[in-house]
Amino acid sequence: SEESRRPQFGTRFLTDPKQVFQHNAWDNVEWTDDQEEAAKRKVSENSYPLPAEKQEEYDSRANEYWNEFYTIHENRFFKDRHWLFTEFPELAPQCSTLNHTSHIDEPQGSNLDQDRCRDSGAEDSCDFPGSSASYRILEVGCGVGNTVFPILKTNNDPGLFVYCCDFSSTAVELVKNNPEYDPGRCFAFVQDLSDAEASYPIPDGSLDVIVLIFVLSALHPDKMQASITRLARLLKPGGTILLRDYGRYDMAQLRFKKGRCLSENFYVRGDGTRVYFFTQDELHELFTRAELEKVQNLVDRRLQVNRGKQLTMYRVWIQCKYKKAS
């Protein structure tokens, strides 16, 4: 299975605890039972939810908070994700030996898509950005483009077209104003992932890959299922959703103080943006209810080290790949 042969982003393993400050990070660090129990206690202590009216305020003003975030930070907050193509080779399949639903399997991919439109009698749906592309990727929650631009730079497939959207109009404008933004290969637009009734500028059944990197966790838990089900409709048969997001008891969850909890494992940051911390089972249920099949669902536990301050920080992320039936 892919889980057993997954290429590691890092292969630096801590075998001697005395050596912990020799490097900045260690991979696949196992927690002791005591650590896990301490994490559970910490979460329990800070899990008293805010009043309903305060929660409603954070929900109704979510767009405002994210626009403020990107206005302040612009493109300085996030770094390009150089691990992308190790963990998600689907983003540049011509560089990998894995099989994907790409033009490699369908040499005339764009013609096939247009034939499907004509057969269905929906010619208007054939006229959309990237309609002639043979391999289409959508990143949801693109921020300022720290995933999109590495894809465009690394994947030189002439049949590639990349879509990217974000809840924040400020973030989308930053993407469009980036010198690397190429309207001939990319289309950026504003989209509220939590609004499952909203239309997309892409017809259903047209995408090979959808990328969700630290974005699903920003939604209210009650809206997650409908959002994933809506995204699944955009996939071609055999298309894949790739996700990386916060896992339960990540350092960020344990750092929340009292008065920041909205509901169980769902918090609001000081800037008004929100974050949820998942388990593998929760994500599996979201994807399988959307009739997607598991390819990968794993926990990535990493120990990050501040050697100057002699601090250790335990990160917990979950990485998933779920596929639409061919």
Side-chain angles (χ1 to χ4, degrees), residues 6-13 26-28 86-87 300 302:
R6 165 183 172 247
Q8 296 293 329
F9 171 60
T11 54
R12 183 176 288 152
F13 305 113
W26 301 93
D27 297 297
N28 292 341
T86 302
E87 299 295 334
D300 184 357
R302 190 161 299 165

Side-chain angles (χ1 to χ4, degrees), residues 274-286:
R274 299 171 298 172
V275 59
Y276 186 84
F277 296 86
F278 293 100
T279 65
Q280 288 173 279
D281 289 344
E282 286 171 343
L283 286 167
H284 181 72
E285 185 172 1
L286 287 172

Side-chain angles (χ1 to χ4, degrees), residues 115-131:
D115 288 344
R116 292 183 191 117
C117 288
R118 283 192 291 271
D119 291 344
S120 66
E123 285 84 356
D124 289 345
S125 68
C126 298
D127 186 19
F128 61 95
S131 59

Side-chain angles (χ1 to χ4, degrees), residues 13 19 80 98 254:
F13 305 113
Q19 303 297 315
D80 287 351
L98 296 177
L254 302 184

Side-chain angles (χ1 to χ4, degrees), residues 82-298:
H82 300 293
W83 48 267
L84 274 174
F85 305 100
T86 302
E87 299 295 334
F88 297 140
E90 296 85 352
L91 299 176
Q94 80 279 15
C95 302
S96 130
T97 58
L98 296 177
N99 293 320
H100 304 295
T101 58
S102 73
H103 66 285
I104 295 171
D105 301 313
E106 298 182 357
Q108 302 297 321
S110 59
N111 291 339
L112 287 174
D113 287 339
Q114 290 166 8
D115 288 344
R116 292 183 191 117
C117 288
R118 283 192 291 271
D119 291 344
S120 66
E123 285 84 356
D124 289 345
S125 68
C126 298
D127 186 19
F128 61 95
S131 59
S132 62
S134 53
Y135 197 76
R136 304 188 191 98
I137 297 172
L138 166 66
E139 186 192 11
V140 181
C142 63
V144 297
N146 299 93
T147 294
V148 169
F149 293 122
I151 293 173
L152 291 171
K153 195 180 298 183
T154 302
N155 189 336
N156 56 10
D157 176 3
L160 171 72
F161 198 89
V162 180
Y163 308 88
C164 56
C165 63
D166 201 279
F167 189 31
S168 166
S169 58
T170 303
V172 171
E173 283 306 307
L174 287 167
V175 169
K176 289 182 174 181
N177 291 330
N178 190 305
E180 295 182 22
Y181 181 74
D182 178 1
R185 302 183 69 212
C186 184
F187 181 71
F189 58 99
V190 176
Q191 188 80 26
D192 180 0
L193 174 60
S194 69
D195 184 357
E197 301 302 317
S199 62
Y200 281 75
I202 317 155
D204 290 352
S206 60
L207 296 175
D208 295 277
V209 177
I210 297 174
V211 189
L212 294 161
I213 297 181
F214 298 106
V215 61
L216 187 64
S217 53
L219 269 60
H220 191 288
D222 291 348
K223 298 179 180 179
M224 291 178 183
Q225 183 62 70
S227 300
I228 291 295
T229 301
R230 177 68 187 94
L231 289 178
R233 285 167 45 196
L234 294 172
L235 289 173
K236 293 178 180 177
T240 306
I241 292 184
L242 309 176
L243 174 142
R244 191 172 177 86
D245 220 320
Y246 296 103
R248 191 69 46 84
Y249 310 133
D250 177 64
M251 173 190 75
Q253 182 176 16
L254 302 184
R255 282 184 169 181
F256 277 108
K257 307 296 184 185
K258 291 180 180 177
R260 288 290 166 191
C261 182
L262 297 171
S263 60
E264 195 171 0
N265 302 301
F266 189 45
Y267 303 83
V268 60
R269 302 182 181 97
D271 60 8
T273 62
R274 299 171 298 172
V275 59
Y276 186 84
F277 296 86
F278 293 100
T279 65
Q280 288 173 279
D281 289 344
E282 286 171 343
L283 286 167
H284 181 72
E285 185 172 1
L286 287 172
F287 286 120
T288 53
R289 282 189 173 182
E291 299 184 351
L292 300 176
E293 301 169 355
K294 184 177 83 166
V295 177
Q296 181 188 85
N297 183 329
L298 55 86

